[in-house]
Amino acid sequence: MLLFLLAYLGGVLTIVSPCILPVLPFVFSRADRPFLKRGLPMLAGMTVTFALVASLAAVAGGWAVEANRYGRFAAIALLAVFGIMLLFPAIAERVTRPLVDFGARLSRSADGGIGGSLLLGAATGLLWAPCAGPVLGLILTGAALQGANIGTTVLLLAYAAGAATSLALAILVGGRVFSAMKRSLGAGEWVRRGLGAAVLVAVAAIALGLDTGLLTRLSLSGTVALEERLIKALDAEQPVAMSGSSGMMQADPAMMAGGSAMMAGGSAMMAANPQANATGALPVEGIVPSLAGAVEWLNSPPLTSEGLKGKVVLVDFWTYSCVNCLRAIPYVRAWAEKYKDQGLVVIGVHTPEFAFEKDLGNVRQAAADLGITYPVAIDNDYTIWRAFNNRYWPAHYFIDAEGRIRHHKFGEGGYDESERVIQKLLAEAGARQVASDIVAVNATGAQAASDTADVLSPETYIGYERAQNFVSPGGAVNDVAHAYTDGGPRLNEWGFDGSWTIGREHAALDAADGAIVYRFHARDLHLVLGPAADGKPIRFRVTLDGAPPTEDHGVDVAADGTGVITGQRLYQLVRQKDAARDRTFEIRFLDPGVEAYAFTFG
């Protein structure tokens, strides 16, 4: 119920979002007509159309986005005709006369009838998506991770109804204003023409992409904070945040404000780091759920919860481009080796964040490169993830020999405590001479522990679905090639140079000699990168403050800053030898086609 309220209130907030501006002329064009016959049908059409299109996006992904793109073209054309008809009634009359009965009926309904208002509302609904903020992202993220269903559509309807409520108030207030103007000035025809001009200006703004560019950025700066506070206040039980200072990532792919995680096998909430009770015994947090649903298993035949009874089990949720996961894996790998003969079974559950992490070949290669020999369930459909009600990478669940969850750990760190839990559970299971020492791990490269005290830069996504602090002049232009300049970023800001196409999940370089510039503060800088679909290697050159990195180069870069992208993975590009400080990082690609996903720091 709280999530429905959140969705509704999030919709209400869109009225103060600048990206609602292109919609307002169509709303106010009905403001001088009876609300029940004109304004209400329009808002109903807008609400239902928006909910249906967004539901299709949640269910079908990319093809629905394409369908909505064509729908936008049709809507732009329809609204342009509507604006011209308002501006020039005589032209409207001449245009509609040759269209015989159908054209005439459409003209009359678009100008005054309930059906025309519904049609206008449906067109407006197709153009409204740029006003999506964190609350809508939360709904669609939940649909992606938990599976889209009728509840998703109901939530989207609640969101749209909230916006419609605000717009209805605007219509009612606007209607009074228009009536007063007509009475005092006798300028009804000029009001009509003014509305037509406003509609055409709005259509031009939409056609030029201003509704998804400038207005969207203004919207994010103006309303995201309000919505995030609303999310936190209502404690929405959905995965909505990215990495934090605790060294973990929460699922997904748009992920905004933090929250708690659900206990596997039940609806009670678990603390991030549960403590043993007063006697030192580990609490029972729930019964281990099913391990069914993996699309494939590596290093083992499929394992089952029932078949693991009698064994102590560690379940590790990870994904191979997540730097937080990479830094935890050396400990998981050491535990699997140290305690395998005493009854411990380690299971890695690989649940992807990016689309390329669903590729079985990529996961196999990553597991081999990381030296993972314990069983790995490839959970591309999030089946095991949902069974555990998990929301974090990395997440460790410790299961006793009776199949009960006794402890969990979200994020990096706390490795000594986690190993003591393994020892305690093995002793409970009857293992003899359980080792009492703690593993010593000396990881290198991206797997080395983060210098968390000096990381002042946040995880930063490059695809427009979750991008923040992008400062290239003119802003992002989504889904089409566009020439950018970097904009001289300040700390934690970034920009492009060259021709790039920015997609939902990543940005792709259209021509050689393009770059990404980021002003950061951390010891390590990583970037998730991949070649184009043809797989051809892509050469690059890294600079720090305009010079080669020399001793501050990462493991995937030579001292002179050169390197090659050969696969879809996380690349360590900077590791500073001395104390971290503010630096300007640039990576310039000498070949076209690179796909860039996300920065992480350590």
Side-chain angles (χ1 to χ4, degrees), residues 54-353:
S55 295
L56 285 175
V59 173
W63 70 265
V65 172
E66 290 300 313
N68 187 33
R69 183 182 304 171
Y70 298 128
R72 284 174 63 86
F73 295 153
I76 288 170
L78 174 64
L79 294 171
V81 170
F82 177 78
I84 292 172
M85 289 169 64
L86 284 172
L87 190 59
F88 303 110
I91 292 178
E93 183 179 353
R94 287 195 297 270
V95 168
T96 58
R97 190 179 302 119
L99 299 179
V100 198
D101 294 338
F102 175 76
R105 286 196 299 270
L106 181 60
S107 174
R108 288 192 296 270
S109 64
D111 186 54
I114 293 177
S117 294
L118 284 169
L119 183 61
L120 178 62
T124 306
L126 288 169
L127 301 172
W128 181 33
C131 282
V135 170
L136 184 60
L138 180 151
I139 296 169
L140 295 179
T141 293
L145 297 181
Q146 306 296 333
N149 51 42
I150 188 64
T152 303
T153 300
V154 173
L155 286 172
L156 291 168
L157 280 171
Y159 182 87
T165 300
S166 294
L167 294 174
L169 293 174
I171 288 177
L172 294 173
V173 173
R176 294 189 182 95
V177 173
F178 280 18
S179 296
M181 290 175 66
K182 287 184 176 181
R183 287 194 303 270
S184 61
L185 302 176
E189 186 61 33
W190 288 107
V191 169
R192 173 191 174 98
R193 291 182 177 181
L195 288 171
V199 168
L200 291 177
V201 169
V203 168
I206 293 166
L208 293 172
L210 295 180
D211 62 324
T212 56
L214 173 63
L215 294 177
T216 298
R217 290 191 302 278
L218 291 173
S219 172
L220 289 176
S221 65
T223 62
V224 164
L226 284 173
E227 294 193 32
E228 289 184 348
R229 286 198 294 270
L230 183 59
I231 291 170
K232 292 177 181 179
L234 294 178
D235 191 23
E237 296 171 7
Q238 293 287 337
V240 289
M242 293 314 296
S243 63
S245 60
S246 60
M248 62 186 169
M249 295 166 52
Q250 283 183 282
D252 175 351
M255 305 183 169
M256 291 147 287
S260 304
M262 296 285 285
M263 179 176 70
S267 60
M269 303 295 288
M270 292 194 298
N273 293 290
Q275 302 296 322
N277 60 31
T279 65
L282 296 169
V284 175
E285 299 179 350
I287 303 301
V288 63
S290 172
L291 295 174
V295 299
E296 188 168 318
W297 283 76
L298 305 182
N299 305 327
S300 169
L303 301 177
T304 66
S305 300
E306 287 298 320
L308 290 167
K309 288 288 182 67
K311 299 286 189 179
V312 173
V313 180
L314 168 60
V315 174
D316 171 28
F317 284 93
W318 68 293
T319 187
Y320 81 81
S321 74
C322 162
V323 70
N324 311 104
C325 301
L326 294 178
R327 292 193 286 245
I329 281 175
Y331 293 90
V332 177
R333 190 172 57 222
W335 297 333
E337 180 64 28
K338 180 177 178 179
Y339 297 104
K340 64 180 181 181
D341 294 331
Q342 294 179 298
L344 176 68
V345 176
V346 173
I347 300 173
V349 179
H350 185 274
T351 311
E353 180 182 14

Side-chain angles (χ1 to χ4, degrees), residues 442-504:
N442 185 23
T444 60
Q447 297 183 69
S450 172
D451 182 10
T452 56
D454 211 7
V455 177
L456 303 183
S457 294
E459 185 165 23
T460 303
Y461 286 82
I462 292 175
Y464 62 76
E465 185 175 51
R466 289 180 279 173
Q468 293 181 329
N469 301 327
F470 179 67
V471 295
S472 287
V477 179
N478 298 343
D479 296 319
V480 295
H482 185 74
Y484 296 93
T485 57
D486 64 68
R490 297 171 299 179
L491 182 62
N492 297 334
E493 295 178 340
W494 62 284
F496 289 126
D497 183 66
S499 180
W500 292 82
T501 298
I502 304 176
R504 298 182 68 86

Side-chain angles (χ1 to χ4, degrees), residues 250-573:
Q250 283 183 282
D252 175 351
M255 305 183 169
M256 291 147 287
S260 304
M262 296 285 285
M263 179 176 70
S267 60
M269 303 295 288
M270 292 194 298
N273 293 290
Q275 302 296 322
N277 60 31
T279 65
L282 296 169
V284 175
E285 299 179 350
I287 303 301
V288 63
S290 172
L291 295 174
V295 299
E296 188 168 318
W297 283 76
L298 305 182
N299 305 327
S300 169
L303 301 177
T304 66
S305 300
E306 287 298 320
L308 290 167
K309 288 288 182 67
K311 299 286 189 179
V312 173
V313 180
L314 168 60
V315 174
D316 171 28
F317 284 93
W318 68 293
T319 187
Y320 81 81
S321 74
C322 162
V323 70
N324 311 104
C325 301
L326 294 178
R327 292 193 286 245
I329 281 175
Y331 293 90
V332 177
R333 190 172 57 222
W335 297 333
E337 180 64 28
K338 180 177 178 179
Y339 297 104
K340 64 180 181 181
D341 294 331
Q342 294 179 298
L344 176 68
V345 176
V346 173
I347 300 173
V349 179
H350 185 274
T351 311
E353 180 182 14
F354 298 115
F356 66 80
E357 292 175 307
K358 292 185 176 183
D359 185 282
L360 299 181
N362 286 349
V363 181
R364 290 192 194 97
Q365 184 62 55
D369 291 343
L370 293 168
I372 294 175
T373 58
Y374 49 81
V376 175
I378 301 180
D379 188 31
N380 281 356
D381 298 326
Y382 279 66
T383 305
I384 302 173
W385 177 285
R386 291 197 300 268
F388 275 78
N389 283 313
N390 183 55
R391 290 196 287 170
Y392 299 96
W393 294 286
H396 299 153
Y397 294 88
F398 300 82
I399 301 159
D400 67 17
E402 298 181 35
R404 303 174 300 180
I405 298 175
R406 301 288 298 281
H407 185 77
H408 68 277
K409 176 67 175 70
F410 300 145
E412 302 174 51
Y415 300 116
D416 290 358
E417 179 190 8
S418 292
E419 187 169 0
R420 295 297 184 199
V421 169
I422 293 172
Q423 294 170 352
K424 184 182 289 289
L425 294 180
L426 288 172
E428 286 184 7
R432 297 182 178 179
Q433 297 180 337
V434 177
S436 60
D437 61 322
I438 299 297
V439 298
V441 170
N442 185 23
T444 60
Q447 297 183 69
S450 172
D451 182 10
T452 56
D454 211 7
V455 177
L456 303 183
S457 294
E459 185 165 23
T460 303
Y461 286 82
I462 292 175
Y464 62 76
E465 185 175 51
R466 289 180 279 173
Q468 293 181 329
N469 301 327
F470 179 67
V471 295
S472 287
V477 179
N478 298 343
D479 296 319
V480 295
H482 185 74
Y484 296 93
T485 57
D486 64 68
R490 297 171 299 179
L491 182 62
N492 297 334
E493 295 178 340
W494 62 284
F496 289 126
D497 183 66
S499 180
W500 292 82
T501 298
I502 304 176
R504 298 182 68 86
E505 191 176 72
H506 67 271
L509 180 62
D510 303 307
D513 197 34
I516 308 175
V517 181
Y518 196 120
R519 182 76 171 170
F520 77 103
H521 185 116
R523 183 194 66 192
D524 302 339
L525 180 147
H526 313 94
L527 185 55
V528 179
L529 297 164
D534 59 14
K536 292 182 180 178
I538 294 175
R539 298 166 299 155
F540 65 83
R541 180 175 292 110
V542 165
T543 60
L544 285 174
D545 300 327
T550 60
E551 292 186 348
D552 292 333
H553 69 93
V555 295
D556 294 303
V557 181
D560 65 357
T562 59
V564 180
I565 298 165
T566 56
Q568 295 165 312
R569 63 179 178 86
L570 179 142
Y571 290 77
Q572 185 186 76
L573 304 176

